[in-house]
Amino acid sequence: MKSDVIHVTSEGVGISEALRQTEAVAAYKELDKKDSIHLALLAEEMMGMMQALTGKHEADFWIEDEDNTFRLHLLAETKMNSEMRSKLLSASTSGENIAAKGVMGKVRDLFNRILEPSEAPLPGAYSSGWVNNASTMGAAAYAKNTATVWSLNRYKASAQSGAKEDWDELEKSIVANIADEIEIGISDDTVEMIVFKKM
């Protein structure tokens, strides 16, 4: 099943429709109260992240499900050039934490950097979560010619043996505790975030 595609903007257009669409999906799939709340929380976090992006951005939001695994998509066009794409795909797996705080802060910051690539080097700590040229679960499997560049599960694995601050952020994050995976993938001219949740 694929829901309607809702066009959303960083200025708030379409946000309430996306949240209503999420409620409609939960009702259509006859999810129990807890699963419905989890799906709604994930959508709300994605929409909150969208509105917190710097500058004016637009994206398409939709939900797919297969065998009770739900995938919440946020797909936006980007000014990606081949050099930036290459930097993203060959990112180092060591370095310091980025300035953004909290798990969704880091995810938002990375999504924003892909949307508005600059010549500035990427902070090393996108590191804890980087997937180099391969997909673990998803984005590449669902979108042809898409390479997954960041994964929540890889970030979690890195945080277990890394800084206590990173682990504390994960424990406090609603999204990290509800989502089974979050992946950010890039293609030639798009960036896509997919949040996975098995019900």
Side-chain angles (χ1 to χ4, degrees):
M1 178 218 78
K2 179 178 177 178
S3 74
D4 292 343
V5 176
I6 308 296
H7 193 71
V8 296
T9 76
S10 55
E11 296 174 314
V13 174
I15 300 293
S16 58
E17 290 87 345
L19 298 177
R20 280 197 298 271
Q21 182 69 26
T22 304
E23 291 174 5
V25 167
Y28 178 76
K29 297 302 291 186
E30 299 178 348
L31 297 180
D32 63 27
K33 186 175 181 180
K34 179 183 174 185
D35 288 342
S36 296
I37 289 170
H38 284 176
L39 198 66
L41 283 171
L42 293 172
E44 286 170 10
E45 286 289 330
M46 290 177 85
M47 294 303 104
M49 186 210 76
M50 182 71 195
Q51 288 185 281
L53 294 174
T54 56
K56 295 181 180 180
H57 296 289
E58 300 180 6
D60 288 331
F61 170 82
W62 72 94
I63 301 172
E64 294 176 321
D65 85 287
E66 187 177 340
D67 298 327
N68 290 322
T69 296
F70 290 77
R71 299 183 301 275
L72 292 81
H73 295 257
L74 193 61
L75 179 71
E77 289 187 6
T78 178
K79 299 169 186 170
M80 183 67 55
N81 58 43
S82 59
E83 183 181 345
M84 184 63 181
R85 189 173 196 276
S86 177
K87 283 181 185 176
L88 284 165
L89 291 175
S90 63
S92 169
T93 57
S94 63
E96 301 174 4
N97 282 335
I98 56 176
K101 296 297 179 191
V103 174
M104 285 308 287
K106 288 180 169 73
V107 171
R108 181 192 69 241
D109 193 47
L110 175 58
F111 200 79
N112 205 71
R113 282 172 181 264
I114 295 172
L115 280 171
E116 301 224 8
S118 70
E119 294 307 311
L122 285 165
Y126 284 112
S127 72
S128 32
W130 278 108
V131 178
N132 290 319
N133 297 315
S135 173
T136 52
M137 183 171 181
Y142 298 106
K144 213 170 188 179
N145 301 323
T146 298
T148 303
V149 293
W150 190 89
S151 158
L152 175 65
N153 287 338
R154 292 214 179 200
Y155 181 77
K156 283 180 178 179
S158 173
Q160 283 182 326
S161 59
K164 183 180 184 308
E165 179 184 330
D166 291 345
W167 188 250
D168 289 346
E169 284 179 351
L170 280 166
E171 288 186 328
K172 292 173 186 171
S173 169
I174 293 171
V175 172
N177 286 297
I178 294 176
D180 293 314
E181 174 65 298
I182 299 173
E183 291 185 351
I184 296 178
I186 56 171
S187 67
D188 292 338
D189 57 358
T190 62
V191 55
E192 182 171 22
M193 177 188 303
I194 305 177
V195 178
F196 297 82
K197 177 62 180 172
K198 177 85 171 169
M199 301 294 188

